[in-house]
């Protein structure tokens, strides 16, 4: 590894590693998905390659540590899979013919070029969100909070090589966050790429996979180019009525969107506008969500074909992708499980002749659910019971009733002689998923969930004091209204496709899986994807009632403008946002640390979120930002208190330096503003100044076992 600036040779090696994994994935896709069209086959191959690059080195790292040996072993495994795929390939396409077919296929997909244009804009946002300018690191608005945390995962994993990895922000605590979304960047960093290249390049690829995968999925769900185009716009250009709060009023009311910090139409907490834009506030800063959706959307695309188009051979392949998800993005894994449950229920109802009754019940649940949820929100808010264990019990009871219904329907299938088919399809999917996912869940997820008490009952996402209907109306806007209309008017087949939205929304409104209420949106957005299908259906039905094509076109344009204006303004804000994350002094300090400080050293710093020691050098700090640690359910209080004691009374707390294995102490303007620090105390105790630029001083802690001079 060559450090945060990388070298030309190192960057070339990083590109080569990514390219070779991509080639291996494409070879595997030729064998696994022979019936797919060229475009989907290319997407699925790219997704497979990303999963291989995340998982194969990680598996080898259990034996070697996260180092070059593990990556060579992982690359060898990928090459072996590609070679086996080519050996058993029944028909080997000529590369020139394949490219010609791909080009012809894309040329007949006009909306593909719109997807390509949005991906180009996303690439600009990614590169804009991590910039080295004038000797500083700049971020954008959306990445200012989260990027430092992800950089700490990337650099510590590549620098220290410990596997399973620990939090560099809390030494000794196992990293149970879905870290494979960052390990793919750590691999490129380890190969010698610059930190910016390692951070950005996989995101560019994942962005293409999400945007294209979403388009393919929606095109299948809606079976129509116009409807699927509308649903794609509704999802990726989501934004409610927030723009109304920025129209009129005092001078500057509108322009503050582009000048103030987080005062955008999709993220304006003063008015409880929390339904953030998918591209700007989910895909860009939330790396786990980005890489999770890159797998989830293609998995749902294949699952749809397996369930609704009779492609039964795809069930175990969906299980393969599902089993890879927990440590890429746990929320996507849970969302996929809920979609599987909903579509399994719909399929069993159809097979047992209950689909008409199920449609009636489903349609009835929509208005009744809205009324009940509105009343429940008002009651629980008045009683102060929006957080209560009883809500978790209620939700689990509802899920238990659902599971009992599925079990009953499955028994009817076995009685009718269709049990073996059920076992070869859904049973095989469940088996493959469990074989791959359960070791991850027991090794990482369940440990952190159990220790942090992260699963709890909570009603109403982040609704707060708002009325339930008003909250979702102003946040979802016209898309929410159209979605309800679409569900109420959907025919049997369409409702079966959209019903996962109801399941996901129920779970997300009653159960939380992290301490931060806001994080349940990672589930809600998957449900919203299906609501966008219903909304597009409803809008097309309304347009069909208009006989004049010009009136139809104008109405559609007005609807799309109303639905996307908040999103477009938010995107515009992100395109011009620029905040200094790490200054020149911080970069100079980290350069010194990279060159002179052991990779596993513990450095005492304050708890700022943009901690250059953790983010850029990959070294351990005694206690990172509580903004990260608290929401990961980690017990950081002892470390936080010890850090304060060591700064404010180092003489009286010398034992703490040994207890927390502190080898270096940083005293900068940040530490002096956070604690009552007397820098001379460290000089008097014999700490050595190894770095001093008049703003920040790095002390080396004396070795207590060294003989006195």
């Amino acid at each position: 590894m060559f450090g945060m600036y990388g070298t030309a040779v190192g960057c070339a090696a990083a590109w080569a590693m990514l390219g070779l994994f991509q080639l291996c994935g494409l070879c595997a896709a030729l064998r696994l998905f022979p019936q797919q069209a060229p475009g989907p086959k290319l997407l699925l191959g790219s997704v497979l390659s990303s999963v291989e690059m995340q998982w194969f080195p990680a598996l080898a790292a259990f034996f070697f540590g996260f180092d070059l040996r593990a990556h060579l072993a992982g690359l060898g495994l990928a090459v072996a899979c590609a070679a086996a795929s080519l050996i058993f390939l029944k028909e080997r396409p000529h590369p020139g013919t394949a490219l010609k077919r791909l080009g012809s296929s894309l040329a007949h997909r006009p909306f593909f070029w719109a997807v390509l244009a949005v991906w180009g804009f996303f690439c600009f946002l990614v590169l804009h969100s991590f910039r080295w300018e004038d000797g500083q690191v700049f971020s954008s608005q959306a990445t200012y909070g989260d990027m430092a945390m992800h950089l700490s995962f990337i650099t510590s994993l590549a620098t220290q090589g410990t596997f399973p990895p620990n939090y560099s922000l809390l030494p000794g605590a196992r990293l149970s966050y879905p870290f494979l979304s960052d390990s793919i960047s750590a691999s490129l960093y380890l190969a010698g790429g610059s930190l910016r290249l390692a951070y950005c390049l996989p995101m560019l690829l994942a962005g293409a996979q999400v945007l294209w995968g979403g388009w393919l999925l929606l095109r299948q769900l809606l079976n129509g180019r116009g409807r699927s185009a509308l649903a794609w716009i509704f999802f990726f250009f989501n934004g409610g009525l927030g723009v109304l709060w920025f129209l009129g009023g005092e001078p500057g009311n509108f322009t503050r969107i582009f000048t103030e910090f987080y005062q955008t139409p999709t993220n304006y907490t003063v008015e409880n506008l929390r339904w953030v834009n998918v591209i700007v506030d989910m895909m860009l800063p939330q790396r786990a969500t980005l890489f999770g959706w890159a797998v989830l959307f293609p998995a749902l695309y294949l699952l749809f074909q397996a369930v609704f188009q009779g492609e039964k051979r795809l069930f175990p392949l969906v299980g393969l992708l599902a089993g890879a998800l927990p440590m890429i993005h746990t929320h996507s894994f849970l969302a996929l499980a809920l979609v599987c449950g909903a579509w399994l229920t719909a399929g069993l109802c159809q097979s047992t002749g209950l689909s008409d009754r199920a449609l009636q019940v489903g349609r009835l649940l929509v208005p009744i659910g809205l009324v009940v949820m509105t009343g429940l929100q008002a009651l629980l808010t008045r009683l102060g019971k929006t957080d209560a264990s009883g809500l978790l019990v209620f939700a689990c009871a509802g899920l238990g009733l659902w599971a009992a219904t599925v079990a009953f329907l499955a028994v009817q299938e076995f009685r009718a002689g269709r049990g073996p088919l059920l076992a070869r399809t859904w049973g095989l999917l469940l088996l493959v998923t469990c074989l791959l996912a359960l070791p991850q869940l027991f090794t990482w997820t369940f440990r952190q969930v159990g220790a942090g008490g992260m699963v709890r009952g909570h009603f109403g996402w982040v609704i707060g004091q708002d009325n339930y209907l008003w909250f979702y109306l102003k946040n979802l806007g016209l898309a929410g209204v159209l979605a309800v209309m679409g569900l109420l008017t959907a025919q049997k087949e369409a409702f079966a496709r959209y019903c996962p939205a109801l399941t996901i929304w129920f779970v997300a409104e009653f159960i939380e899986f992290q301490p931060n209420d806001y994080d349940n949106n990672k589930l809600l957005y998957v449900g919203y994807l299906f609501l966008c299908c219903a909304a597009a259906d409803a809008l097309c039905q309304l347009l069909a009632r208009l006989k004049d094509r010009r009136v139809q076109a104008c109405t559609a344009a007005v609807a799309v403008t109303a639905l996307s204006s908040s999103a477009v303004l938010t995107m515009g804000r992100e395109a011009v946002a620029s905040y200094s994350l790490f200054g020149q002094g911080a970069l100079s300090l980290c350069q010194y640390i990279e060159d002179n400080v052991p990779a596993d050293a513990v450095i005492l710093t304050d708890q700022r979120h943009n901690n250059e020691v953790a983010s850029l050098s990959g070294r351990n700090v005694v206690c990172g930002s509580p903004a990260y640690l608290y929401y990961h359910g980690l017990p950081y209080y002892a470390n936080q208190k010890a850090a304060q004691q060591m700064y404010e009374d180092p003489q009286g707390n010398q034992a703490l330096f040994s207890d927390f294995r502190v080898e270096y102490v940083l005293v900068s303007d940040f530490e002096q503003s956070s604690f009552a620090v007397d820098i001379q105390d460290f000089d008097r105790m014999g700490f050595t100044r190894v770095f001093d630029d008049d703003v920040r001083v790095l002390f080396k802690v004396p070795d207590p076992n060294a003989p006195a001079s």
Side-chain angles (χ1 to χ4, degrees):
M1 193 184 73
F2 302 99
M4 57 185 168
Y5 298 108
T7 64
V9 173
C11 290
W15 274 97
M17 177 189 289
L18 183 69
L20 191 52
F21 268 107
Q22 284 289 306
L23 183 60
C24 291
L26 293 176
C27 291
L30 293 175
R31 178 67 183 87
L32 294 175
F33 309 107
Q35 305 302 321
Q36 297 291 334
K41 192 178 296 183
L42 177 63
L43 170 69
L44 293 168
S46 180
V47 171
L48 282 177
S49 72
S50 295
V51 172
E52 288 179 349
M53 190 171 176
Q54 289 166 315
W55 266 113
F56 286 179
L59 292 174
F62 278 103
F63 303 97
F64 301 112
F66 197 83
D67 59 15
L68 289 177
R69 293 174 300 170
H71 285 78
L72 289 174
L75 193 54
L77 182 56
V79 171
C81 291
S85 299
L86 293 178
I87 290 173
F88 293 101
L89 193 61
K90 296 179 180 179
E91 180 182 353
R92 299 183 183 179
H94 188 275
T97 304
L99 288 174
K100 186 176 180 180
R101 288 182 59 198
L102 176 62
S104 176
S105 174
L106 297 179
H108 291 84
R109 299 283 188 271
F111 195 73
F112 166 77
W113 302 105
V115 176
L116 186 63
V118 174
W119 177 65
F121 178 69
F122 175 75
C123 291
F124 163 77
L125 290 181
V126 171
L127 297 173
H128 177 72
S129 70
F130 186 177
R131 307 184 318 283
W132 258 303
E133 293 179 5
D134 302 322
Q136 302 181 64
V137 172
F138 286 86
S139 75
S140 60
Q141 176 175 262
T143 56
Y144 184 77
D146 284 12
M147 190 169 78
M149 180 192 73
H150 289 291
L151 289 176
S152 75
F153 297 160
I154 293 168
T155 56
S156 63
L157 187 55
T159 302
Q160 300 183 36
T162 304
F163 203 91
N166 294 323
Y167 277 93
S168 62
L169 302 174
L170 194 69
R174 178 171 292 185
L175 179 57
S176 296
Y177 179 89
F179 61 84
L180 292 181
S181 60
D182 291 312
S183 73
I184 191 170
S185 290
S187 297
L188 300 182
Y189 194 46
L190 186 65
S194 69
L195 186 54
R196 184 173 188 245
L197 175 71
Y199 179 87
C200 294
L201 184 56
M203 290 184 67
L204 304 182
L205 186 61
Q209 293 165 353
V210 171
L211 294 167
W212 194 359
W215 162 237
L216 292 177
L217 172 61
L218 291 169
R219 197 175 68 185
Q220 283 202 329
L221 284 168
L222 288 158
N223 194 26
R225 293 183 181 180
R227 283 177 165 81
S228 54
L230 285 173
W232 191 90
I233 293 171
F234 292 171
F235 183 75
F236 288 103
F237 285 78
N238 68 301
L241 305 179
V243 66
L244 299 179
W245 275 265
F246 296 89
L247 300 177
E250 299 178 354
N253 183 43
F254 181 79
T255 56
R256 67 190 167 109
I257 294 174
F258 303 97
T259 58
E260 300 296 329
F261 188 73
Y262 268 127
Q263 294 194 20
T264 68
T266 61
N267 198 339
Y268 187 40
T269 57
V270 173
E271 296 294 339
N272 210 15
L273 295 169
R274 307 297 299 277
W275 193 247
V276 297
N277 177 251
V278 162
I279 293 177
V280 168
D281 286 300
M282 297 302 294
M283 293 171 60
L284 186 61
Q286 304 278 345
R287 283 176 63 98
T289 299
L290 172 66
F291 286 91
W293 287 357
V295 179
L296 175 64
F297 291 172
L300 290 175
Y301 168 80
L302 295 174
L303 181 64
F304 179 89
Q305 294 182 358
V307 175
F308 295 99
Q309 296 179 353
E311 296 287 344
K312 297 178 178 57
R313 63 177 298 274
L314 294 178
F315 276 100
L317 297 177
V318 174
L320 183 68
L321 292 175
L325 266 174
M327 289 313 294
I328 298 175
H329 189 219
T330 315
H331 282 87
S332 288
F333 175 73
L334 177 58
L336 179 56
L338 293 173
V339 174
C340 285
W343 279 353
L344 170 60
T345 306
L348 291 174
C349 287
Q350 182 179 12
S351 182
T352 53
L354 296 173
S355 55
D356 289 329
R357 181 65 57 85
L359 174 63
Q360 295 173 356
V361 172
R363 283 180 173 176
L364 194 61
L365 284 175
V366 175
I368 290 178
L370 289 174
V371 172
V372 170
M373 298 291 265
T374 303
L376 194 57
Q377 166 66 15
L379 176 62
L380 292 175
T381 301
R382 187 165 59 249
L383 297 176
K385 298 287 187 179
T386 52
D387 285 283
S389 58
L391 296 171
L392 181 61
V393 173
F394 170 77
C396 289
L399 293 174
L401 179 61
W402 178 28
T405 302
V406 172
F408 172 78
L409 294 174
V411 169
Q412 302 308 308
E413 286 289 280
F414 275 90
R415 287 180 174 176
R418 294 186 291 269
L421 177 62
L422 189 64
R424 291 195 306 270
T425 53
W426 288 104
L428 189 55
L429 186 157
L430 179 62
L431 177 63
V432 173
T433 301
C434 289
L435 286 175
L436 296 175
L438 286 178
Q440 302 171 58
L441 296 173
F442 280 105
T443 301
W444 287 290
T445 309
F446 293 157
R447 291 163 57 103
Q448 186 160 349
V449 168
M454 299 173 76
V455 178
R456 57 193 175 87
H458 172 82
F459 179 80
W461 189 38
V462 289
I463 295 174
Q465 300 296 316
D466 277 340
N467 173 273
Y468 190 88
L469 290 177
W470 170 237
F471 173 82
Y472 280 113
L473 176 62
K474 70 181 180 181
N475 276 275
L476 301 186
L478 181 58
V481 177
L482 290 172
V484 172
M485 293 172 56
L487 290 173
L488 292 175
T489 59
Q491 298 303 308
K492 185 165 51 180
E493 295 80 5
F495 195 91
R497 298 176 183 186
Y498 309 155
C499 67
L502 303 181
T503 304
I504 292 172
W505 221 271
F506 172 80
V507 171
E509 291 287 52
F510 284 96
I511 306 176
E512 290 199 340
F513 301 90
Q514 282 184 271
N516 189 0
D517 298 344
Y518 174 79
D519 279 339
N520 256 28
N521 65 355
K522 297 169 186 176
L523 271 181
L524 290 170
Y525 277 108
V526 181
Y528 179 68
L529 180 76
F530 293 95
L531 291 183
C532 288
C533 295
D537 242 349
L539 181 57
C540 287
Q541 291 177 37
L542 292 174
L543 293 175
R545 296 176 180 271
L546 305 174
K547 303 304 180 183
D548 191 305
R549 295 182 65 86
R550 289 176 296 181
V551 175
Q552 286 181 339
C554 290
T555 304
V558 170
V560 169
T561 301
L563 283 159
S564 62
S565 57
S566 293
V568 170
L569 291 171
T570 298
M571 292 176 183
R573 167 56 176 145
E574 192 64 19
V576 300
S578 182
Y579 296 91
S580 177
L581 194 61
F582 303 108
Q584 295 180 358
L587 294 180
S588 299
L589 171 65
C590 288
Q591 186 66 66
Y592 174 85
I593 292 174
E594 280 188 344
D595 296 337
N596 299 280
V597 174
D600 60 349
V602 178
I603 302 177
L604 179 63
T605 70
D606 83 334
Q607 286 92 54
R608 59 188 178 276
H609 91 282
N610 55 334
N611 190 313
E612 65 272 21
V613 172
S615 297
L616 300 182
S617 76
R619 271 53 175 186
N620 297 316
V621 297
V622 173
C623 185
S625 170
Y628 301 143
L629 301 176
Y630 173 79
Y631 290 118
H632 289 194
L634 295 170
Y636 64 92
Y637 305 106
N639 293 54
Q640 185 181 45
K641 182 179 180 181
Q644 180 178 1
Q645 291 173 323
M646 284 185 279
Y647 270 119
E648 297 187 347
D649 184 12
Q651 184 68 45
N653 292 282
Q654 293 186 58
L656 290 177
F657 288 91
S658 297
D659 293 343
F660 287 89
R661 299 191 307 108
V662 176
E663 299 176 53
Y664 293 85
V665 176
L666 175 63
V667 180
S668 71
D669 47 352
F670 286 107
E671 283 74 27
Q672 290 179 320
S673 64
S674 299
F675 306 111
V677 183
D678 184 350
I679 195 170
Q680 303 303 320
D681 285 344
F682 297 101
D683 289 317
R684 286 189 288 268
M685 291 176 62
F687 286 41
T688 306
R689 296 190 180 212
V690 295
F691 180 91
D692 187 349
D693 65 359
D694 296 329
V695 175
R696 53 195 58 78
V697 179
L698 184 67
F699 290 97
K700 189 176 191 314
V701 179
D703 184 354
N705 298 317
S709 58

